[in-house]
Amino acid sequence: MATPRLVEDFHHETLRDRHFAERIVFWDETLRDGEQMPGVHFTPEEKLRIAEKLGEVGIPLLNAGIPVVSDEEARAVRLLADAGLPSKILAAGRTVPRDIDAVIRSGASHIAIFVAASEVHLRYKLKMTQDEVVAASTASIAQAKAAGLHVAFVTEDTVRAPFDFVERLYQAALESGADRLVVSDTVGIMTPLTFRWYLTEFVRRLHPRDWSVHCHNDFGLAVANTLTALELGATSPHVCVNGLGERAGNASLEEVAVALESLYGVRTGLKTEKLYELSRLVEEVAGVPVAVNKSLVGYNSFSHEAGIHTHGILANTLTYEPLQPEAVGRKRQMILGKHTGRAAVIEKLKEREARPTDTQLEELVQQVKLRGEGRSKAEYGRFVEEYRRLYEQPGISDAEFWEIAQKLGIGTRTA
Ligand code: MN
């Protein structure tokens, strides 16, 4: 019989087709795109707490926010820029002079200048022509470069834009001194294969030294698409802790990082064993619970209940786990319930050095199963109800909105 192979062996054999960058610079978007998630907002102090933990994990670049949004947002960027964090601080702005000014004044060393590229965005949102977009972009890049900033040039909705325009716009950005180009799949429509085609063409036409992707999870493909880009040499993936972000979120930081380390053997330089702490902190501060079955950081990702599985795990954890829970700062959990088998019960009894007779053991296993099957689901039902009540309409309620409006004398019907 052939020796069983570890997951790493399968993947390492196909590394020939992969061209990972020498150094991957994780670009965290939790404090910007993550915060743009409906219902989520961070105070400057909360942003700092998260930024400190991101720094401990070793994330080299943090998008702190868009300073022109509000005074509070500008204060947040300033707070992070002045905190002496190990990570570089980036702030974002549109291709308008006052946005770039706000970033320059914020103390951030890096800027992301963003503009939409697709026809649907240009026509309906920006109401700008392609020529106007190119002119505004190059002027903004020049303004930021003159102030000594590291400039990432981001196009929104890149993949739905005409390719020739994307090429022209990025070429102009590079000529104006942009240090890094960012390709966005703003509405999450790429698949790994289409993105591979797209990015191969992007690299062939533009030869960027340093480039990022910004992937959304509308079809659950953000991580897969981000990994595809990294396989092709992307240097700086955009990620969010717990996959937070607009709509269905962005590529999850922990999933991209651990997939690189465990599936491809790529060293990220991150302290992955701190990822669970980071996930828990963001869960608390954002107030967005991590799904029980979320990869790596969900409660179930290293839990086992089924008899056959626990038996295998107790014999050798490789049977039913692709990596050790300690790799992300977690512990394995054995769950006792309806699906429990003998092996798990024997293991549990070791805690008190109990040695039952065969009949006792058989009876104990049956009783555990019965107890599991008979457990009331009422508490979980109440939790689901509460969860729905809180999340079906996050943000301010209808009643609150109309109260504010009426105080201002708006929308008060006087029949
Ligand atoms: Mn986004």
Side-chain angles (χ1 to χ4, degrees):
M1 201 178 103
T3 321
R5 301 197 306 173
L6 304 185
V7 66
E8 287 87 348
D9 297 330
F10 290 105
H11 290 275
H12 291 179
E13 280 197 8
T14 59
L15 278 176
R16 278 185 300 280
D17 302 329
R18 292 161 187 179
H19 310 280
F20 290 98
E22 276 293 298
R23 175 165 176 262
I24 294 170
V25 177
F26 276 77
W27 167 334
D28 182 83
E29 280 281 327
T30 311
L31 305 175
R32 201 280 305 170
D33 207 320
E35 198 201 16
Q36 283 176 218
M37 184 163 178
V40 174
H41 68 98
F42 299 134
T43 65
E45 287 69 26
E46 287 170 340
K47 285 199 177 189
L48 182 60
R49 275 179 72 199
I50 295 171
E52 282 168 347
K53 189 60 81 180
L54 286 163
E56 280 177 39
V57 169
I59 301 295
L61 184 61
L62 314 182
N63 188 345
I66 305 176
V68 85
V69 161
S70 71
D71 290 345
E72 223 16 25
E73 181 80 343
R75 186 166 79 79
V77 178
R78 169 57 70 184
L79 189 66
L80 268 60
D82 289 348
L85 297 168
S87 323
K88 296 266 197 306
I89 301 302
L90 177 147
R94 295 163 300 178
T95 53
V96 293
R98 69 187 181 98
D99 282 36
I100 312 296
D101 270 334
V103 174
I104 295 168
R105 276 185 277 110
S106 74
S109 59
H110 287 52
I111 186 172
I113 298 174
F114 62 92
V115 70
S118 65
E119 280 174 335
V120 65
H121 277 247
L122 260 60
R123 181 177 315 165
Y124 296 103
K125 188 186 80 175
L126 293 180
K127 302 192 195 314
M128 283 166 85
T129 64
Q130 292 185 345
D131 288 346
E132 286 167 343
V133 167
V134 172
S137 301
T138 52
S140 297
I141 293 166
Q143 186 188 350
K145 286 308 297 177
L149 295 177
H150 177 286
V151 175
F153 180 64
V154 184
T155 56
E156 278 183 279
D157 207 17
T158 323
V159 300
R160 289 196 300 180
F163 217 130
D164 289 337
F165 175 56
V166 170
E167 181 179 8
R168 183 181 149 216
L169 181 54
Y170 278 128
Q171 200 62 58
L174 287 173
E175 282 160 19
S176 308
D179 299 286
R180 177 178 284 151
L181 303 181
V182 184
V183 172
S184 305
D185 182 16
T186 299
V187 291
I189 52 163
M190 289 287 104
T191 66
L193 271 180
T194 49
F195 210 27
R196 170 171 282 272
W197 173 84
Y198 186 94
L199 294 172
T200 303
E201 190 62 12
F202 167 79
V203 169
R204 188 183 70 77
R205 293 203 199 182
L206 287 149
H207 310 286
R209 265 180 303 110
D210 202 351
W211 57 286
S212 300
V213 289
H214 180 93
C215 295
H216 272 274
N217 207 30
D218 296 75
F219 290 91
L221 293 169
V223 169
N225 290 334
T226 302
L227 291 171
T228 294
L230 288 162
E231 289 176 0
L232 293 168
T235 45
S236 191
H238 285 201
V239 290
C240 281
V241 178
N242 297 341
L244 292 188
E246 307 236 27
R247 306 186 311 283
N250 291 81
S252 136
L253 185 162
E254 50 282 357
E255 291 175 27
V256 172
V258 176
L260 280 177
E261 293 269 352
S262 302
L263 301 181
Y264 298 90
V266 170
R267 299 280 78 95
T268 59
L270 303 183
K271 295 201 175 74
T272 61
E273 69 279 7
K274 286 186 171 283
L275 286 171
Y276 192 48
E277 286 169 39
L278 173 65
S279 164
R280 305 270 289 195
L281 173 69
V282 171
E283 180 183 51
E284 278 166 38
V285 178
V288 178
V290 168
V292 171
N293 61 341
K294 166 83 165 63
S295 313
L296 306 165
V297 291
Y299 278 113
N300 281 358
S301 29
F302 299 98
S303 293
H304 310 278
E305 178 182 320
I308 294 167
H309 285 233
T310 36
H311 186 196
I313 286 283
L314 290 166
N316 186 327
T317 61
L318 286 171
T319 51
Y320 288 106
E321 282 177 357
L323 78 161
Q324 297 292 302
E326 290 76 13
V328 289
R330 302 201 54 186
K331 289 204 164 44
R332 179 175 302 110
Q333 248 194 315
M334 296 301 189
I335 309 297
L336 295 169
K338 175 184 174 180
H339 308 99
T340 293
R342 286 165 57 95
V345 171
I346 293 170
E347 186 66 18
K348 182 71 184 166
L349 287 170
K350 285 183 187 164
E351 284 176 17
R352 297 194 183 178
E353 291 170 37
R355 286 183 199 82
T357 66
D358 281 358
T359 332
Q360 279 178 320
L361 179 65
E362 214 50 57
E363 188 55 31
L364 183 53
V365 172
Q366 289 317 312
Q367 293 283 332
V368 167
K369 284 172 180 289
L370 272 174
R371 187 68 68 91
E373 285 173 329
R375 259 172 69 85
S376 162
K377 283 178 273 188
E379 231 183 309
Y380 294 95
R382 282 195 294 275
F383 171 75
V384 171
E385 255 176 51
E386 181 66 3
Y387 178 83
R388 288 180 181 169
R389 190 185 65 76
L390 282 167
Y391 286 93
E392 266 167 4
Q393 202 208 27
I396 65 166
S397 69
D398 244 39
E400 285 174 285
F401 175 81
W402 290 114
E403 184 201 314
I404 300 168
Q406 283 175 7
K407 269 188 193 152
L408 297 170
I410 306 163
T412 327
R413 272 195 216 126
T414 43

